[in-house]
Amino acid sequence: MQRKLIFEHSKEGKMGTTLPKCDVPEQKITNLIPKTFLREIRNNLPQVSEPEIVRHYTGLSTLNHHVDKDFYPLGSCTMKYNPKINEAVAGNGQFTEIHPAQLSETTQGSLQIFYEVEKYLCEITGMNAFTLHPTAGSHGELTGVMIIRKYHKSKGNEKKYILIPDSAHGTNPASVMIGGYKAIKVNSTEDGLVDIDDLKLKLNDEVAGFMLTNPNTLGIFEENVLEISKLIHSVDGLMYMDGANMNALLGIVKTVNMGFDITHLNLHKTFSTPHGGGGPGSGPIGVTEKLKKFLPTPTIIKKDDKYKLEYNLPDSIGRIHSYFGNFNVVLKTFVYLKMLGENGLKEVSKNAIINANYIRKSLMNNFQICSPKIPMHECVFSGDIQKGKGAKTLDIAKRLLDYGMHAPTIYFPLIVSEALMIEPTETESKETLDRFIEIMLKIDEEINTNLDIIKNAPQNTPNSRLDEATASRNLDVNYFMK
Ligand SMILES: *Cc1c(COP(=O)(O)O)cnc(C)c1O
């Protein structure tokens, strides 16, 4: 279905507002404004009425899938339902109308929120100090790698490598490279855990650190994490925790107790900010005591009951962002944490784990599980059986859209062939999970009885299959250039 652009709704003279007639002669206005600020040609804005605008954008909003519409089990993305109270607070004018360049005496409340969120994140992870500056998980990773570099430099060591398991998120090796290290891949065992023997083989004095996601991207808890930490620390390497998805650990395990020296968190995943459209996000990192002095500048300090920004940090890696990070995401995290409290957070993780295991158990007779280990907050299947019958994982994902559900993450992690990575999160009811399971089983049945409908899916969506390669290689979103 082709939708009109807002420009194509335009009719000369239509207006979205009713203003009183201007009682200042136009000549007078143009005389008042310096000529350099006056437009010479009219800007070509669409001219539409208020209902036309509202219907146009409301219409567009219903074309896309979103978590307020239905289930969104995108693995490694934690698409939980985001409570509306977060938005209500974040939209409050007292917050939206302040400017980061204001004197800190006038922004004490906001600085207090930064300060307290840092403290909460320290409590959750056991880290000693946090910075809220990074604006994405990958940005946090890069900040962490810069800190690893500075730590080794400060001891006069030039190390070369950072080890990364082959199950890692793609941003891990990218951040390591940009941070000036070479990434070395560590293999996984059959069960999907870090292969300790392979790790030992690749470990030497040139290793600056190890970047680990735990639970890993197969959803499995790295049960040898203490041994891994010990090995890495034995060559004075630092343990970096990719905690983008902390949904299985809240209130249950602190990353410091697993031996990590640095932890990043994705506030826009675990701590409930709507995401997926490219931002805004927030990827704070926390560090242990010995790395605190390297954190980006400025930090927030509390002195005599006043909050202040501290810029005088001689060992800091410096600035990594203008101002202090994405305040509105931090604010939503603050509201989210306050609403849940300590017990609430623990419930989040318990329910996230139960939901993922419920799906795994309900589908494992039909879809091949990728590891015999009990997963945490997400479960990964291989679509190999279905592929053998002619339906690739991509086809299954497309067919799910016909049933009004978002597809899981597919073809990731890379070490599982035809991977389907399902993360239901804690916010979904048993009824929703049952409906998803029923649809998955129905699709599996359709593969036997009506393969065509799977291969041609989706048919119930505004667009059927897109040419994804062309769409990303020849991206053209500019109306005026045509
Ligand atoms: C999402 C994710 C990241 C990257 O976070 P961004 O905010 O998208 O940069 C890194 N690691 C893991 C495991 C993730 O799930």
Side-chain angles (χ1 to χ4, degrees):
M1 178 178 38
Q2 200 63 35
R3 290 228 162 205
K4 277 187 179 178
L5 298 173
I6 188 75
F7 294 97
E8 292 164 335
H9 286 291
S10 181
K11 275 243 168 68
E12 185 66 29
K14 274 201 187 179
M15 276 259 257
T17 53
T18 326
L19 295 172
K21 207 167 166 339
C22 183
D23 57 1
V24 183
E26 195 169 320
Q27 187 63 35
K28 204 162 176 184
I29 301 174
T30 45
N31 284 346
L32 272 174
I33 302 171
K35 219 172 155 51
T36 47
F37 294 127
L38 287 174
R39 217 183 277 285
E40 276 164 22
I41 36 171
R42 215 175 126 178
N43 62 347
N44 184 20
L45 290 177
Q47 302 183 56
V48 283
S49 67
E50 182 174 328
E52 281 171 324
I53 296 175
V54 170
R55 285 179 190 158
H56 177 72
Y57 286 107
T58 305
L60 289 181
S61 78
T62 63
L63 299 184
N64 250 342
H65 193 86
H66 47 91
V67 78
D68 285 354
K69 202 168 164 181
D70 210 332
F71 194 41
Y72 205 142
L74 203 58
S76 202
C77 289
T78 317
M79 307 302 280
K80 61 175 71 178
Y81 171 78
N82 304 289
K84 295 291 171 262
I85 188 167
N86 300 354
E87 298 299 326
V89 175
N92 183 317
Q94 308 247 14
F95 291 120
T96 57
E97 282 164 31
I98 52 173
H99 193 279
Q102 270 175 239
L103 293 176
S104 64
E105 293 88 80
T106 66
T107 55
Q108 285 292 301
S110 301
L111 292 177
Q112 183 178 351
I113 285 168
F114 271 122
Y115 187 84
E116 289 189 11
V117 168
E118 282 181 12
K119 289 281 166 284
Y120 289 144
L121 300 183
C122 284
E123 183 61 33
I124 289 167
T125 57
M127 293 286 124
N128 185 264
F130 255 88
T131 174
L132 301 171
H133 292 217
T135 53
S138 41
H139 195 194
E141 291 167 23
L142 178 60
T143 307
V145 173
M146 288 163 78
I147 289 175
I148 293 176
R149 201 171 187 90
K150 193 96 198 219
Y151 166 78
H152 291 304
K153 257 203 168 135
S154 75
K155 298 177 97 182
N157 296 332
E158 289 289 341
K159 294 191 178 233
K160 281 200 191 125
Y161 310 112
I162 290 188
L163 304 183
I164 301 180
D166 58 4
S167 58
H169 194 271
T171 51
N172 291 184
S175 304
V176 163
M177 282 285 292
I178 296 171
Y181 285 109
K182 198 161 178 259
I184 304 239
K185 187 174 81 172
V186 178
N187 296 333
S188 298
T189 61
E190 281 282 297
D191 287 356
L193 297 172
V194 171
D195 183 338
I196 303 277
D197 292 333
D198 193 48
L199 170 62
K200 284 180 182 159
L201 221 61
K202 286 160 184 172
L203 191 66
N204 59 49
D205 283 338
E206 304 264 55
V207 170
F210 189 71
M211 222 178 208
L212 184 64
T213 305
N214 196 18
N216 65 27
T217 61
L218 290 144
I220 301 167
F221 192 84
E222 292 285 354
E223 54 200 31
N224 301 318
V225 65
L226 291 177
E227 190 185 348
I228 295 171
S229 295
K230 216 165 155 190
L231 285 168
I232 298 299
H233 288 149
S234 74
V235 297
D236 194 27
L238 294 174
M239 284 291 287
Y240 181 98
M241 162 81 174
D242 176 342
N245 317 105
M246 273 290 279
N247 237 29
L249 305 184
L250 299 172
I252 300 175
V253 182
K254 296 188 183 201
T255 59
V256 74
N257 293 337
M258 299 190 271
F260 288 103
D261 305 285
I262 307 178
T263 304
H264 96 244
L265 302 171
N266 276 21
L267 301 189
H268 49 289
K269 289 178 181 168
T270 314
F271 300 96
S272 197
T273 281
H275 61 285
S282 181
I285 65 166
V287 294
T288 51
E289 175 79 39
K290 69 175 175 193
L291 301 176
K292 192 175 166 181
K293 61 181 178 182
F294 302 121
L295 284 175
T297 161
T299 57
I300 294 178
I301 53 170
K302 188 177 177 185
K303 216 173 159 188
D304 305 329
D305 252 6
K306 289 263 179 326
Y307 299 92
K308 257 186 58 188
L309 292 163
E310 178 62 64
Y311 290 87
N312 184 20
L313 302 156
D315 296 311
S316 163
I317 57 165
R319 288 208 84 121
I320 52 143
H321 192 256
S322 56
Y323 301 115
F324 328 113
N326 280 334
F327 178 59
N328 68 342
V329 183
V330 175
L331 183 53
K332 288 177 205 181
T333 295
F334 179 77
V335 179
Y336 185 68
L337 292 174
K338 282 280 187 201
M339 294 297 293
L340 282 169
E342 195 178 331
N343 289 334
L345 281 180
K346 204 180 247 180
E347 284 301 304
V348 164
S349 284
K350 283 187 185 170
N351 288 328
I353 294 169
I354 290 170
N355 281 359
N357 277 282
Y358 183 66
I359 287 181
R360 176 174 179 267
K361 199 96 191 173
S362 307
L363 293 180
M364 67 193 282
N365 287 338
N366 297 64
F367 294 85
Q368 193 180 318
I369 49 170
C370 70
S371 168
K373 301 262 175 204
I374 301 288
M376 301 286 116
H377 62 295
E378 57 196 355
C379 56
V380 182
F381 294 97
S382 160
D384 272 351
I385 301 173
Q386 286 70 19
K387 193 184 181 185
K389 299 184 197 168
K392 289 187 293 192
T393 282
L394 179 73
D395 302 320
I396 297 171
K398 295 292 181 195
R399 185 61 179 150
L400 267 167
L401 307 182
D402 272 340
Y403 288 108
M405 294 212 165
H406 199 280
T409 294
I410 56 172
Y411 298 108
F412 180 77
L414 304 174
I415 52 173
V416 177
S417 79
E418 297 293 312
L420 284 147
M421 184 197 214
I422 303 170
E423 183 184 6
T425 83
E426 75 286 359
T427 56
E428 299 304 329
S429 65
K430 180 167 180 295
E431 288 72 25
T432 301
L433 302 184
D434 283 338
R435 194 156 49 85
F436 173 74
I437 290 159
E438 192 188 318
I439 291 168
M440 284 295 283
L441 295 177
K442 191 156 178 209
I443 291 173
D444 188 42
E445 182 56 30
E446 282 175 343
I447 293 171
N448 297 325
T449 57
N450 195 351
L451 192 57
D452 267 359
I453 209 166
I454 307 276
K455 302 299 287 181
N456 294 317
Q459 295 298 326
N460 302 337
T461 49
N463 287 301
S464 190
R465 286 202 198 192
L466 302 172
D467 179 347
E468 285 168 15
T470 304
S472 72
R473 286 201 189 128
N474 303 317
L475 187 66
D476 176 11
V477 290
N478 195 327
Y479 175 69
F480 288 107
M481 294 301 282
K482 291 214 177 77

